[in-house]
Amino acid sequence: MKSIYGKLILGFMASILFSFSIAGYFSIRKNSEEMGRLAVEELESSSEHIANLIHLIDKSDVDRVLKGYSETSEMSFFVETDRVKDVYGKLSGQLLSDNQYKKLLSVVGECVDLRDSTVRKFAKSFEINGKNYIIFVQKDVGKREMIFIDSAMIAVFCMLIAGSITFLIIADIIVKPISRLNKATNELSKGNYRVRVNYTGNDEIARLNRSFNLMAQQLAKQEETRQQFISDVSHEFQTPLTAIQGFATILKNEKLIDEQREKYADIIVFHSKRLSTLSKNMLQLTILEGEDIELELSEFSLIEQVKRVVETQNSLALSKEIEIELNLPKNDILIEADEARLEQVWINLVNNAIKYTNENGVVTIEVKKTTKEVEVSIADTGVGMSKEAISHIFERFYRQDKSRSVEGNGLGLSIVKRIIDLHKGNIDVRSREDGGSTFTVRLPQVRSFHISEKLNVIKKDKDNR
Ligand code: ADP
């Protein structure tokens, strides 16, 4: 039985038959007892009626009247007095035993109740007109019992047919959406992420369908991201590789003068560095996006860190005659964070500020401490960004400048965002095209037991090394 329809119908029939068998057994038993009791009552009153007839009717007419009574009442009986037995109707099976005879003859009013298959029998002794009589009456109740069983069987049969049809309709309502979902799942497993199932209502199946649609939507999104990622990666790799290939071919030319040779070798070095940075950034981002990434927390001076970063970026700023302004608080700020990773954040942001600011511009770095947070903002007087660009800058490989005139690979801000998220902080951007940009990073100042404890472990680890 493979189909769910078959299983449902079979289950329905089995439950109907099982419940009816139990109900039928008890009701037939009860009915038979009740009919037996009624039959005995009927037979007893008949015997009394017969006794009355004998008592009241003229002797010559009794025989004719009793015959008529036997025919109309569908009862067979015999009347016995002075060992003379008059039989009316057709008596069957066992009549009275010697013991029962004796008992009936000894006491007037004595009764005997017998059952022979479906035939109920009853005998009683009477004293009529000074004579002792035994009146024996019998009636076949089998017909009545059969009528009851027949109607019960018809009821079960009708119920099975009507119930099965109704159940099929109900099963159809339940099974159809499941079959649809099954089909859709098969489609999905073949890679068709656009497949969706319709649903109405809020029952379990509708909820299942809704979850399926959500899952398909998510998979479609993931697939799109994956394809976009592959195309971005190959595109980012392609440009420097083409340059390296081209200039390496030129370098093969022996007629090149030393100056040209050096220039082309420099270009090759530049592009290979670019490739190296790109693969390092990709690796870093993959690690940061991994589920089991753990921050190496330690306590350090944020002010010292920012100053260190500015020093590393100073030469680039000087080359463009960009001034770096530092607005630092008088008191030092100690924070608990992953020192190396946080340094990466400031390097990327300050480096971007310098990269996207024209010569003679200004980059202002401000560090503040509020009651709950530490705030670092990096503002520049550079090229700024459109609203459209702002909404995409944290996406991998996104670059506003499609001509790639400024060196970069579009991964820096994705790394920044991920590191800040891991520190449970946030970053926001204010920017206008040609009006400069300000990136503000806020980090929570939570000193939880967990972090301090971890800190100790890391410190101990470092001391041990
Ligand atoms: P890139 O390596 O291209 O700088 P990022 O992820 O660091 O990659 O930045 C993504 C894009 O965001 C940049 O290509 C640039 O268009 C824009 N951007 C980032 N910082 C600035 C800034 N300070 N001023 C203007 N645009 C910026």
Side-chain angles (χ1 to χ4, degrees), residues 68-202:
Y69 178 65
S70 161
E71 280 161 14
T72 51
S73 65
E74 291 179 5
M75 271 187 226
S76 305
F77 52 87
F78 72 73
V79 177
E80 188 177 319
T81 181
D82 299 336
R83 301 229 168 247
V84 179
K85 192 191 272 178
D86 294 319
V87 179
Y88 302 91
K90 214 171 158 199
L91 292 169
S92 64
Q94 187 203 344
L95 298 180
L96 293 169
S97 67
D98 289 345
N99 271 348
Q100 286 164 335
Y101 254 117
K102 270 182 205 154
K103 203 174 150 195
L104 288 167
L105 287 173
S106 57
V107 188
V108 172
E110 191 63 41
C111 311
V112 175
D113 173 19
L114 293 170
R115 180 179 186 140
D116 186 2
S117 171
T118 57
V119 184
R120 300 296 308 216
K121 302 171 181 183
F122 181 82
K124 192 172 178 180
S125 59
F126 294 90
E127 196 194 314
I128 309 166
N129 303 330
K131 275 186 178 178
N132 278 354
Y133 279 79
I134 293 175
I135 299 178
F136 175 96
V137 199
Q138 75 171 46
K139 185 164 185 170
D140 191 349
V141 291
K143 245 190 203 163
R144 270 196 219 166
E145 281 179 2
M146 272 323 284
I147 288 170
F148 174 76
I149 291 170
D150 280 355
S151 7
M153 295 297 273
I154 289 169
V156 173
F157 182 72
C158 292
M159 198 151 174
L160 277 178
I161 299 290
S164 297
I165 293 169
T166 320
F167 212 72
L168 257 175
I169 296 167
I170 295 169
D172 198 51
I173 295 170
I174 299 168
V175 175
K176 242 192 196 148
I178 297 177
S179 310
R180 261 204 310 261
L181 192 64
N182 191 28
K183 240 189 199 165
T185 314
N186 283 339
E187 280 286 302
L188 193 73
S189 69
K190 284 180 202 153
N192 177 7
Y193 299 117
R194 275 165 301 145
V195 67
R196 298 286 182 275
V197 278
N198 292 331
Y199 63 86
T200 45
N202 200 23

Side-chain angles (χ1 to χ4, degrees), residues 231-352:
S231 113
D232 287 339
V233 169
S234 29
H235 186 255
E236 287 298 327
F237 270 84
Q238 200 52 49
T239 323
L241 277 176
T242 316
I244 291 169
Q245 237 173 17
F247 287 104
T249 317
I250 298 172
L251 275 179
K252 276 182 165 178
N253 184 350
E254 287 170 5
K255 285 179 201 151
L256 284 179
I257 54 165
D258 282 353
E259 211 173 275
Q260 279 174 319
R261 198 177 295 279
E262 202 172 321
K263 188 182 161 197
Y264 296 146
D266 279 347
I267 295 174
I268 291 175
V269 171
F270 169 78
H271 282 293
S272 48
K273 269 188 188 161
R274 201 173 148 192
L275 275 181
S276 160
T277 315
L278 177 63
S279 60
K280 266 189 217 151
N281 280 352
M282 277 173 60
L283 184 67
Q284 198 182 357
L285 198 57
T286 311
I287 294 170
L288 287 170
E289 284 178 349
E291 299 243 314
D292 47 2
I293 167 91
E294 272 203 34
L295 295 177
E296 284 207 14
L297 298 173
S298 63
E299 196 172 45
F300 58 90
S301 158
L302 179 65
I303 307 294
E304 290 302 316
Q305 190 177 53
V306 169
K307 279 183 184 166
R308 234 181 5 253
V309 169
V310 171
E311 269 168 37
T312 62
Q313 300 298 310
N314 237 340
S315 58
L316 181 65
L318 278 175
S319 70
K320 290 176 81 178
E321 291 184 25
I322 289 170
E323 192 190 331
I324 300 184
E325 260 182 38
L326 266 175
N327 286 340
L328 303 173
K330 281 189 197 114
N331 297 331
D332 199 359
I333 297 174
L334 289 179
I335 61 163
E336 278 171 343
D338 187 321
E339 194 173 1
R341 291 206 161 102
L342 205 60
E343 191 160 319
Q344 180 76 60
V345 169
W346 314 133
I347 291 175
N348 286 4
L349 292 176
V350 176
N351 187 264
N352 274 353

Side-chain angles (χ1 to χ4, degrees), residues 52-66 129:
N52 275 339
L53 290 174
I54 297 170
H55 174 63
L56 296 171
I57 297 168
D58 213 43
K59 243 187 182 172
S60 54
D61 285 337
V62 164
D63 196 48
R64 188 178 49 81
V65 171
L66 290 184
N129 303 330

